Amino acid sequence: MISIIIPCYNEEEAIPLFYKEINKTIKEMKVPFELIFVNDGSKDRTLEILRGLAKKDKKVRYISFSRNFGKEAGILAGFEAAKGDYVAMMDVDLQDPPYLLKEMYETLQDENVDCVATRSVSRNGYSFFRKIFTKWYYKIINTISKTPIVDGARDFRLMKRKMVDAILSLKEYNRYSKGIFSWVGFNTKWITFENTERVAGTTKWNFWKLFAYSMESIIGFSTMPLLVSSVVGVLFCLISFIMIIVIITKTLTIGDPVAGWPSLVCIIFFVSGVQLFCLGIIGQYLAKTYLEVKNRPVYIIKETENDL
Ligand code: UDP
Ligand code: MG
């Protein structure tokens, strides 16, 4: 059986379109399916639509959260609920084309392949700003993190049970799926496709949300920023040491009329800035650690198809 996890947040318009498309693929494939929709605290009619689908179609299951917990929480809930031998995850907005599932499933019949993942080659529909930001983000994270993050990788992928169990064994609270998929290893085959615009509704990500998400992934998968702040500290100590020697020699040889107040102020400002910046980096890691040790559940379920 193939389980498909579909996180949904305010997707009343997209769900019926998605359901129609995926059913076409399911009919062609002749493999048992289960569709696990995760309602991530939607404020529109998403839940009603899901209830309706689950009532009339036995392969439709749904998990409804008590509030919006974010897409990562939705993905985890789906993974935990999935019963299939193969598990896929995809967006409901048809930006991940369902017809690819067939090719992905066939590729997985090769016993050396554990996962088939997709990446989009183009960034159609991205704003100019987002394109530049995305490009730099991948450059930076791949330089500083040991876990490779593939440029343009989408969350759309199909994997075998073994890999799913490995992913579920990672119990962290701050979850970044792209990193987790890469971290667990296994043999992943990539297929590419052209990015398309969503069929209905609007994107749930604005620039700041994306920015915060990317920062989270850097903190989650690299401790390099901490190293950078230590290096900056050492560098500043060296510079100040050289300056001390220069000033002492200057005073002893040519004497020192009191001067240099403006430069002193500049240096104080600069150095305190660097200090605060480095403290901020430590603070970010501390904050994540704090959230991690609190050990709160990643999501809370309010209703599932069993409550119908
Ligand atoms: N989503 C979610 N919870 C959120 C935000 C988004 O479950 O808090 C879902 C959303 O319904 C969609 C998928 O995650 O199925 C991807 O979201 P979107 O299409 O808005 O992202 P984009 O494709 O623009 O990156
Ligand atoms: Mg989308």
Side-chain angles (χ1 to χ4, degrees), residues 11 71 91-96 154 195-198 202-205:
E11 301 280 10
K71 187 181 173 185
D91 288 2
V92 74
D93 55 12
L94 291 178
Q95 280 183 317
D96 304 326
R154 293 197 55 89
N195 198 12
T196 50
E197 307 222 0
R198 55 159 53 236
T202 49
T203 175
K204 310 295 175 299
W205 298 90

Side-chain angles (χ1 to χ4, degrees), residues 14-25 27 94 98:
I15 292 171
L17 299 170
F18 173 82
Y19 180 68
K20 210 173 125 203
E21 277 305 309
I22 193 88
N23 266 326
K24 283 186 202 159
T25 312
K27 273 204 191 93
L94 291 178

Side-chain angles (χ1 to χ4, degrees), residues 57-71:
D57 187 345
K58 265 205 350 244
K59 68 176 181 301
V60 174
R61 299 173 57 196
Y62 70 90
I63 297 167
S64 187
F65 287 170
S66 59
R67 63 168 170 86
N68 180 255
F69 280 91
K71 187 181 173 185

Side-chain angles (χ1 to χ4, degrees), residues 10-139:
N10 295 342
E11 301 280 10
E12 56 179 6
E13 291 159 51
I15 292 171
L17 299 170
F18 173 82
Y19 180 68
K20 210 173 125 203
E21 277 305 309
I22 193 88
N23 266 326
K24 283 186 202 159
T25 312
I26 292 176
K27 273 204 191 93
E28 274 174 37
M29 282 178 65
K30 299 185 181 67
V31 183
F33 267 85
E34 78 176 347
L35 302 178
I36 305 174
F37 290 91
V38 184
N39 172 30
D40 187 10
S42 302
K43 291 181 183 68
D44 63 359
R45 291 184 51 252
T46 298
L47 181 58
E48 286 165 48
I49 294 172
L50 292 181
R51 280 189 195 127
L53 286 180
K55 264 183 208 155
K56 71 172 205 247
D57 187 345
K58 265 205 350 244
K59 68 176 181 301
V60 174
R61 299 173 57 196
Y62 70 90
I63 297 167
S64 187
F65 287 170
S66 59
R67 63 168 170 86
N68 180 255
F69 280 91
K71 187 181 173 185
E72 289 292 340
I75 293 172
L76 177 67
F79 270 123
E80 286 180 343
K83 296 183 188 135
D85 312 292
Y86 297 87
V87 178
M89 43 191 271
M90 55 200 302
D91 288 2
V92 74
D93 55 12
L94 291 178
Q95 280 183 317
D96 304 326
Y99 66 83
L100 279 179
L101 279 170
K102 205 171 163 203
E103 182 187 338
M104 291 161 98
Y105 178 69
E106 277 156 15
T107 315
L108 275 189
Q109 298 317 305
D110 178 350
E111 57 179 59
N112 293 320
V113 183
D114 306 298
C115 172
V116 183
T118 58
R119 50 187 290 249
S120 51
V121 277
S122 57
R123 297 200 218 277
N124 298 339
Y126 278 31
S127 67
F128 174 71
F129 212 39
R130 187 168 166 184
K131 271 184 199 159
I132 296 184
F133 175 76
T134 317
K135 197 173 140 207
W136 275 98
Y137 163 71
Y138 283 112
K139 264 196 191 155

